[in-house]
Amino acid sequence: MAAFIGSKDWRNVLLYRGTTEAINAVMYSLMTEFEDGDNIVTTHMEHNSNYIPWYALCREITPKFGRKIELRIAGFDRESGELDLEDLERKVDEKTKIICCTGASNFLGTKPPIEKIVSIGRKSGYQHPNGLSGSYVLIDGAHLVPNTPVDVEKMGIDFLAWSFHKMLAPVGVGGLFVRREILETLMPFQYGGDMIAEGKVTAEKVEYNELPWKFTAGTPNIIGTILAGEVTELIVDMVLGERYRHISKEERTEKAMEAIQEYERGLTQYLIDELTSIDGVTVYGPKDASRKTSVISFNIAGQHPMDVARQLDEVGIESRAGCHCATLAHHYLGINPPASCRISPYIYNTMEEMRYVVRAIGKIASA
C-alpha cells in the first residue's frame, strides 16, 4: 500500500473504513490544536466528505469550546472547471492551519495542481505546536489514487486519504498517509484496544503503542486489509504482466499507473469530444482529458438526470445520477436541481463500449 502512493515508510500509512473516515480522523486529531482566529481553506469543488467535517468543526464543534475558526472556500472557473488558484492563494494566510483540497473532483474531474497548492501552504508562515511551519495540505485522493501515478514524497503532501473500493477492492478499507513529522505528535482519533502499549495502563498514566499501531484502536478489517494490499499488486500485474520485473516495486507501480492514466485519457477524451457535439448535452469540467480524471458529468436539456440514468440502465449502461456528494459545486454552477449524470470509464472498459455510450446518450438527447 505504501509503495503504491510513493510513501518511503509503511508506518506512515494508517487504515480506516474509507476516505470519509480518514478525513474525519484528521479533523478530530487536529481539533485540539486549533486556536481562536485560525482558519481552514477548502474549495467549492469538494466532495461533501472533505467539506462537511471542516464545516462542522468551524460552525458546530469549536464554538462550543469558545474558539472561532473561519472556513474559507476558494472558487473555480465555471467554464473550464479549473481551480481558481489565485483565489485560493488570497484566502491562505498566516492563520491558515490546513488547506483541504480534492486531488481529482468526482464531479468535474478536475485535477488541481497539488504541488502549487503545497507551495502556497508552505509559504503561509503558520506555526504549529509541533514546531513545523506552513499550512498543512490534505488531499482527498479518492478519485486520484485509482487513476493517476501518486508520489506523496515528491508532491510534499501532508495528508492523503483514499479508498480501496474505487480500485477493484471490496468496500470497507481506506488509507491515510500522514507525513512522519506530523504523525509523531498527532493525537489519536480513537482510543482503546491495540493502540495501547502492552501493559502500559495504570490509574496514573496510559502509554500508547508505537506507530502506526497508535492509530489502530479496536479490531481492524483484517480480510479487507489483506485484499486491499493484494489489489495494489493485482492492478500492476494486470497492466504490465511479466514486464519490468527487474525494477523496484515503486518504479513498476509508477509505470503501471502511467499506462492506466494514458489509456483512460483516450476513453475520456473520446467521450468529451463526442458528447459536447450532441445538441442539448452540457458537459461539465475541463474539456482536455489530460487535465482531469476519468469522470464525465453531463446534463441533457429538458431531462432530469435521474431519468437519463434510468434510460441508460435500460440499455445496459451503468451511470450515476444525483449531486455525487459534490453539492457545493452543483450550486456554484447554478445547476437546478443540483444534479447531473456521470459516466466513469475505468481500466476494464473499451473504446467500443464508449461508442455504445455515445450512441445511447445521443438517442436520449434526441427523444
Side-chain angles (χ1 to χ4, degrees), residues 263 266-268 270-271 349-357:
Y263 179 72
L267 303 180
T268 303
Y270 174 79
L271 287 176
N349 290 120
T350 66
M351 185 60 76
E352 183 54 40
E353 289 173 332
M354 298 305 102
R355 296 188 184 100
Y356 182 69
V357 168

Side-chain angles (χ1 to χ4, degrees), residues 190-206:
Q190 296 175 319
Y191 292 80
D194 208 33
M195 59 86 64
I196 306 297
E198 185 69 28
K200 298 295 183 179
V201 178
T202 67
E204 293 75 29
K205 184 179 181 180
V206 173

